[in-house]
């Protein structure tokens, strides 16, 4: 059979929860089908490159297992027995369940639950409009960014940094705690260019030899949860060897003398004992960044998913401030640009109806919430009804056994709006089918880059599938709030309105022509040479963890959490992690799989085949001592539960460390329990969040 030729190329943006937010060119084929997806060559961040899993999107959008009809549960919860119903009946059922829950327990008994399955501002955030208009419970978004953002903000006072495209102009690219090859491929595009054109050195810092470590010139493989110790030693050496930029420190930082005194005892030997790195490799790394003004620190999320992760981010961010790398183009640091976009989302989110007195429930603690934990419920009413969009909590949330227990409650109504029969959809009372990004209008902004990108509807959805926007609007009509601000508009009107309210007077049409808008601030601003985000303009080596930053930032809406007494004054290694002990001799990280995106793509054959199956990486010495061979089925467990998966012996991991790459569907594990059976939901200090890579476990053959 010959391959059909594209009849047109459509323009879009990748909607997935990935820092890259790639601008896309999409082959449109005859009969409403899509072909290959490619990165837009004209977008200077995407630079023509996207990941393989999205290039193969045709496989996902035209998948035989896509949900096409609303399904009502007929058997027991989770029994897999459904009957097809019409859309009107499905929407009536949700509305009735919400009204019943509200009449019994008050409006906070309804919990609309969503995350970033699509990052589109209309299709992702519209659910908040319904939430606020109806005074339903809020969601505290804790599952992903809290530690990283909290740690960065504590130092810099703003969520932005050096232009990510400047990596091309760097002489040393430090890729710290992010598996960029897998999780945000464009970082590697720019780093590889710097290496080729300028001879830049690529440094990677991770806990195992992932694909990024394998591409690095210097790969530092440290013990999980010890990054702050490495950062402290790098800064100790800078003061010791006079590679610290004392002029920069005096002008731009809060207490360099205090920091220098504090670091006296943080020697390379001290850090070597904690990190498991050699003192020589720490010295070599410090010498490299000490003689390379254009050192660019690309700080990721991975190393912050530890119980001391916010502190680790702050410590790592302190390094370029000590060396003064911020002064130079191609130097400094970057994590996220979320502060640069200046989009006024009030209408989409229904902010006018928001009541600050309504409680926030912690997304990561959904298990505790649904099983009636008083604290998790803020001493309020139980959750009795939910609409879930863009997320798969029964797979992705920690404390999975508790989560399942919650979903099994017969007095809880759950509607799941989904593209596939996910682990969460399987436990629902009602499943309604959702469009995919090429089938609806939306607008995207890149956390890991600098563009706002349009993703207009390019193909018709299957006739019986509906957008998130449609569901929100239809429920608003049935629940009597369709007249509230922000309702009654099309997705396209909301995009147009958003742009016009945010300093882009050309609105939708201009963006359709231009495809994207570059929001990168100028060099001086981006490098904080006009001052950091705090009132005195100084970088904070001594963060005010308990102070003003916490309540002002929406992600920290539950205030200070975790063991706040352990917060150090200056950057430091704080032993808050789940250290291995006699009963649990291994440390387990649950790192991302290259061909999946969280639990998305675990349904497509192209990704599944390339990933193989749920595996556990173990060092040959550990496997030898346990007398376990490659390929055997093993059990790992802790106080939260246990799972079984296949052993893969590899010196990619350090002795004592286990790595599982996921997220596989729970049903892909022999016992039907996924990896998050082992992860904890206890909030990470100081702003909450889940420490997915910080677990102690036992192992049995
Ligand atoms: N292919 C793919 N891409 C993705 C995702 C995916 O699941 N798969 N997820 C998307 C999402 S939602 C996000 S938030 C981003 C996250 O992307 P990243 O910033 O890359 O963060 P993580 O994926 O959590 O982990 C990155 C790396 O951190 C390592 N790590 C774990 N603990 C430590 C530690 O203590 N120190 C150090 N130095 N490293 C450690 C892990 O082993 C892993 O290799 O990626 C997005 N892109
Ligand atoms: N063990 C472990 N667990 C983790 C992590 C880890 O590193 N290790 N990472 C964590 C992180 S960083 C994150 S961000 C979370 C993410 O967890 P989730 O937010 O649950 O992300 P996904 O697993 O990608 O699931 C998104 C779902 O949204 C659906 N979807 C996509 N687009 C649309 C749409 O337009 N409409 C509707 N209705 N649905 C849509 C997809 O089909 C998919 O099932 O997982 C966390 N869980
Ligand atoms: S790299 Fe990230 S943003 Fe780009 S296509 Fe892949 S998943 Fe989407
Ligand atoms: Mo995430």
């Amino acid at each position: 059979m010959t391959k059909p030729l594209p009849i047109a190329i459509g323009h879009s943006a990748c909607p997935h929860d990935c820092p890259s937010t790639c601008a896309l060119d999409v082959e449109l084929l005859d009969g409403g089908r899509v072909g290959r997806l490619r990165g837009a060559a004209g977008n200077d961040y995407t630079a023509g490159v996207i990941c393989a899993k999205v290039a193969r999107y045709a496989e996902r959008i035209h998948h035989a297992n896509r949900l096409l009809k609303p399904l009502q549960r007929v058997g027991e919860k989770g029994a897999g027995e459904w009957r097809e119903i019409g859309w009107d009946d499905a929407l009536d059922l949700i509305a009735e369940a919400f009204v019943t829950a509200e009449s019994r327990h008050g409006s906070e008994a309804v919990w609309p639950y969503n995350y970033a399955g699509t990052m589109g501002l209309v299709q992702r955030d519209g659910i908040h409009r319904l939430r606020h208009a109806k005074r339903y419970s809020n969601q505290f978004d804790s599952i992903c960014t809290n530690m990283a953002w909290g740690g960065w903000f504590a130092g810099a006072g703003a969520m932005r940094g050096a232009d990510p495209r400047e990596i091309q102009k760097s002489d040393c690219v430090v890729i710290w705690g992010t598996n960029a090859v897998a999780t945000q491929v464009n970082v590697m595009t720019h780093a590889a260019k710097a290496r080729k054109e300028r001879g830049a050195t690529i440094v990677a810092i991770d806990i195992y030899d992932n694909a990024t470590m394998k591409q690095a010139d210097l790969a530092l493989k440290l013990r999980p949860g010890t990054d702050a110790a490495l950062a402290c030693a790098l800064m100790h050496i800078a003061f010791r060897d006079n590679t610290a930029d004392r002029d920069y420190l005096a002008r731009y930082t809060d207490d360099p003398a205090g920091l220098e005194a504090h670091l006296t005892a943080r020697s390379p030997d001290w850090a070597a004992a904690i990190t498991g790195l050699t003192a020589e490799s720490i010295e070599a790394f410090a010498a490299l960044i000490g003689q390379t003004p254009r050192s660019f620190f690309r700080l990721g999320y991975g190393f912050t998913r530890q119980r001391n992760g916010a502190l680790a981010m702050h410590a790592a961010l302190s390094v370029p401030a000590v060396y003064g790398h911020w002064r130079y183009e191609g130097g400094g640091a970057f994590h996220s640009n979320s502060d640069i976009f200046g989009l006024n989302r009030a209408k989409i989110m229904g902010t006018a109806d928001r009541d600050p007195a309504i409680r926030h429930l912690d997304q990561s603690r959904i298990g505790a919430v649904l099983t009636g934990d008083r604290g998790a419920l803020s001493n309020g009413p139980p959750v009795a009804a939910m609409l879930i969009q863009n997320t798969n909590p029964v797979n992705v949330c920690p404390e999975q056994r508790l989560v399942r227990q919650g979903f099994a409650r017969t007095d809880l109504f759950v509607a799941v709006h989904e593209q596939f029969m996910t682990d969460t959809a399987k436990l629902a009372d009602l499943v309604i089918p959702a469009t995919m990004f090429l089938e609806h209008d939306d607008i995207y902004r890149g956390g890991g880059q600098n563009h706002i990108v349009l993703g207009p509807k390019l193909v018709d959805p299957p006739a019986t599938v509906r957008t998130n926007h449609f569901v929100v609007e239809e429920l608003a009509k049935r629940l009597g709030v369709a007249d509230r601000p922000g309702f009654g508009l099309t997705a396209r009107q909301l995009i147009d309105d958003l742009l016009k309210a945010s300093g882009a007077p050309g609105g939708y049409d201009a963006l359709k022509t231009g495809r994207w808008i570059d929001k990168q601030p100028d060099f001086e601003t981006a490098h904080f040479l006009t001052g950091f985000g705090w009132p005195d303009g100084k970088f904070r080596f001594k963060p005010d963890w308990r102070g003003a930053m916490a309540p002002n930032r929406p992600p920290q809406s539950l205030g200070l959490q975790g063991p706040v007494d352990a917060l150090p004054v200056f950057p430091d290694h704080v032993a808050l992690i789940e250290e291995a002990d006699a009963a649990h001799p291994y440390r387990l990280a649950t790192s991302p799989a290259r061909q999946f995106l969280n639990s998305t793509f675990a349904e497509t054959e192209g990704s599944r085949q390339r990933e193989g199956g749920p595996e556990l990486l173990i060092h040959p010495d550990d496997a030898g001592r346990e007398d376990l061979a490659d390929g055997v089925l093993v059990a790992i467990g802790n106080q939260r539960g246990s799972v079984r998966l296949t052993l893969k012996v590899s010196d990619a991991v350090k002795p004592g460390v286990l790595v599982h790459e996921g997220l596989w569907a729970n049903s892909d594990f022999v016992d039907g329990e996924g990896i998050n059976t082992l992860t904890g939901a206890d909030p990470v200090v100081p702003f909450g969040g889940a420490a997915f890579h910080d677990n102690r476990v036992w192992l049995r053959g």
Side-chain angles (χ1 to χ4, degrees):
M1 210 171 76
T2 52
K3 243 177 97 187
L5 287 174
I7 51 172
I9 300 293
H11 302 311
S12 188
C14 176
H16 288 289
D17 189 1
C18 168
S20 283
T21 317
C22 292
L24 303 176
D25 291 335
V26 183
E27 286 183 0
L28 303 173
L29 311 180
D30 228 355
R33 294 180 73 86
V34 304
R36 194 86 185 153
L37 274 62
R38 294 191 176 80
N43 182 290
D44 58 8
Y45 187 77
T46 305
V49 179
I50 59 167
C51 65
K53 58 192 179 299
V54 170
R56 294 191 298 266
Y57 218 78
E59 189 188 359
R60 188 162 193 273
I61 194 169
H62 303 305
H63 200 288
N65 295 348
R66 245 190 102 167
L67 292 171
L68 294 175
K69 300 275 179 61
L71 299 172
Q72 186 183 18
R73 172 174 73 83
V74 287
E76 301 272 293
K77 288 209 186 203
E81 293 157 35
W82 308 94
R83 72 180 178 106
E84 288 180 9
I85 61 171
W87 265 100
D88 278 331
D89 291 342
L91 292 161
D92 288 347
L93 277 172
I94 302 174
E96 277 164 32
F98 282 13
V99 169
T100 306
E102 178 170 357
S103 67
R104 284 201 189 132
H105 309 282
S107 67
E108 288 182 330
V110 180
W111 192 21
Y113 188 93
N114 75 313
Y115 204 54
T118 171
M119 295 281 276
L121 302 181
V122 174
Q123 309 289 348
R124 185 190 67 190
D125 295 338
I127 195 170
H128 298 302
R129 205 158 67 240
L130 182 67
R131 179 198 307 283
H132 297 321
K134 290 296 300 175
R135 306 170 62 77
Y136 294 152
S137 279
N138 288 302
Q139 175 175 305
F140 169 45
D141 291 344
S142 61
I143 207 159
C144 177
T145 60
N146 270 49
M147 293 83 77
W149 289 19
W152 177 285
F153 197 83
M159 272 319 298
R160 52 185 174 78
D163 187 332
R165 293 164 295 191
E166 273 179 46
I167 290 178
Q168 292 175 23
K169 298 176 184 164
S170 171
D171 296 318
C172 174
V173 184
V174 182
I175 301 176
W176 196 322
T178 171
N179 185 4
V181 169
T183 63
Q184 40 180 336
V185 64
N186 313 76
V187 169
M188 299 312 288
T189 312
H190 298 297
K193 196 161 176 225
R195 176 155 65 187
K196 189 156 172 246
E197 292 177 3
R198 312 173 55 88
T201 307
I202 299 179
V203 183
I205 304 169
D206 210 283
I207 58 163
Y208 78 116
D209 293 321
N210 58 29
T212 309
M213 293 279 273
K214 286 179 188 152
Q215 289 195 17
D217 304 298
L218 176 62
L220 297 170
K221 186 156 67 169
L222 43 60
R223 286 197 190 110
T226 65
D227 298 74
L230 171 62
C232 286
L234 295 172
M235 295 187 281
H236 167 103
I237 295 168
F239 286 113
R240 185 197 69 192
D241 294 357
N242 246 336
T243 46
D245 185 337
R246 291 185 189 272
D247 171 61
Y248 179 89
L249 283 164
R251 278 170 63 189
Y252 289 106
T253 69
D254 61 345
D255 187 3
L259 178 69
E260 184 171 1
H262 159 77
L263 291 171
T264 319
R266 279 27 176 203
S267 67
D269 285 330
W270 167 84
I274 295 168
T275 58
L277 299 168
T278 61
E280 293 71 41
S281 64
I282 298 173
E283 292 281 3
F285 181 26
L288 176 66
I289 59 173
Q291 66 204 24
T292 312
R294 293 167 181 253
S295 290
F296 194 108
F297 289 73
R298 184 62 180 81
L299 305 175
Y301 288 100
F303 76 114
T304 71
R305 306 197 196 290
Q306 301 279 342
R307 283 175 179 72
N308 56 11
L311 308 178
M313 173 57 93
H314 173 256
L317 179 60
S318 297
V319 176
V322 167
Y323 285 83
H325 295 129
W326 283 107
R327 285 185 195 263
Y328 309 98
E329 195 180 22
F334 180 73
H335 171 66
S336 164
N337 253 340
S338 63
D339 273 0
I340 71 170
F341 296 103
L343 289 170
N344 180 350
R345 293 186 286 157
K347 197 173 254 185
I348 293 176
M349 312 250 297
T351 312
D353 279 335
R354 185 171 181 274
D355 178 350
I358 302 284
R359 71 178 172 185
H360 283 76
L361 300 174
D362 186 338
Q363 163 191 38
S364 300
R365 300 192 65 208
I366 183 173
V369 168
L370 295 186
T371 52
D373 181 290
R374 301 297 312 149
L377 288 167
S378 300
N379 294 311
V383 168
M386 298 179 79
L387 166 66
I388 300 178
Q389 283 183 328
N390 305 322
T391 181
N392 183 9
V394 176
N395 181 278
V396 306
C397 284
E399 294 183 350
Q400 190 174 103
R401 284 192 179 166
L402 212 53
V403 179
R404 288 163 177 284
Q405 210 180 307
F407 273 83
R409 268 173 47 200
T410 49
D411 61 343
L412 171 70
F413 171 87
V414 177
V416 175
H417 192 192
E418 251 301 345
Q419 298 163 339
F420 287 93
M421 188 56 88
T422 59
D423 290 318
T424 307
K426 283 177 183 166
L427 298 187
D429 299 280
L430 184 69
V431 178
I432 46 179
T435 44
M436 290 194 190
F437 75 109
L438 297 172
E439 300 164 341
H440 57 232
D441 288 315
D442 218 331
I443 182 170
Y444 307 84
R445 54 175 188 192
Q449 53 129 312
N450 40 275
H451 293 103
I452 293 168
V453 196
L454 188 70
K457 177 180 165 187
L458 296 178
V459 295
D460 286 327
T464 47
V465 163
R466 297 287 179 270
T467 65
N468 291 0
H469 180 66
F470 172 87
V471 169
V472 165
E473 290 288 322
E474 288 299 312
L475 288 177
K477 287 180 198 161
R478 285 165 174 79
L479 292 162
V481 289
D483 61 337
R484 299 305 307 156
F487 288 101
L489 302 170
T490 64
R492 193 168 294 195
Q493 285 169 329
L494 281 171
I495 296 168
D496 194 55
D497 205 89
L498 171 81
L499 288 165
K500 288 176 175 162
S502 313
Y508 181 93
D509 291 335
L511 188 55
K512 180 99 200 283
T513 310
R515 298 185 60 182
W516 51 75
I517 303 171
D518 186 349
K519 296 293 285 185
Q520 181 62 41
D522 61 60
F523 172 80
E524 300 262 309
T525 310
H527 283 245
F528 299 109
L529 298 177
T530 52
F532 284 89
W534 300 110
D536 63 0
K538 303 270 175 116
F539 181 87
R540 291 187 172 175
F541 293 125
K542 277 200 302 193
D544 182 12
W545 294 110
R546 292 176 177 75
M549 68 175 280
N552 293 338
R553 295 189 58 79
Q556 282 102 39
S557 48
L558 287 188
L560 290 181
Q561 295 186 68
V564 285
D565 291 342
L567 290 168
V569 176
F570 284 105
D572 211 350
H573 174 69
V574 183
L576 286 171
I577 48 178
E578 275 196 3
E579 288 288 8
D581 60 20
H584 311 84
Y586 296 97
R587 298 260 298 137
L588 169 75
T590 60
S591 306
R594 184 168 182 173
Q595 304 295 342
F596 300 157
L597 199 143
N598 304 319
S599 71
T600 306
F601 298 96
E603 68 280 331
T604 53
E605 285 66 29
S607 289
R608 295 175 65 83
Q609 278 161 16
R610 285 170 181 83
E611 289 296 336
E615 286 177 343
L616 185 69
L617 296 176
I618 187 170
H619 191 272
D621 292 353
D622 291 330
R625 203 186 46 254
E626 302 274 359
D627 201 16
L628 291 168
D630 196 69
V632 300
L633 198 62
V634 295
I636 48 174
N638 57 23
Q639 69 276 21
R640 296 179 280 266
S642 64
V643 301
R644 288 196 295 159
L645 70 187
T646 307
L647 204 63
K648 184 167 180 181
V649 181
S650 162
D651 62 8
V653 288
K654 291 170 78 73
V657 176
L658 307 173
V659 170
H660 167 73
E661 295 181 343
L663 292 164
W664 288 89
N666 299 341
S667 52
D668 288 321
F669 287 75
V670 278
D671 302 314
E673 291 194 278
I675 199 67
N676 279 316
T677 305
L678 304 174
T679 57
D682 46 308
V684 173
V685 73
F687 306 118
F692 284 111
H693 303 328
D694 180 7
N695 314 284
R696 65 168 152 238
V697 293
W698 48 255
L699 166 73
R700 288 183 203 135

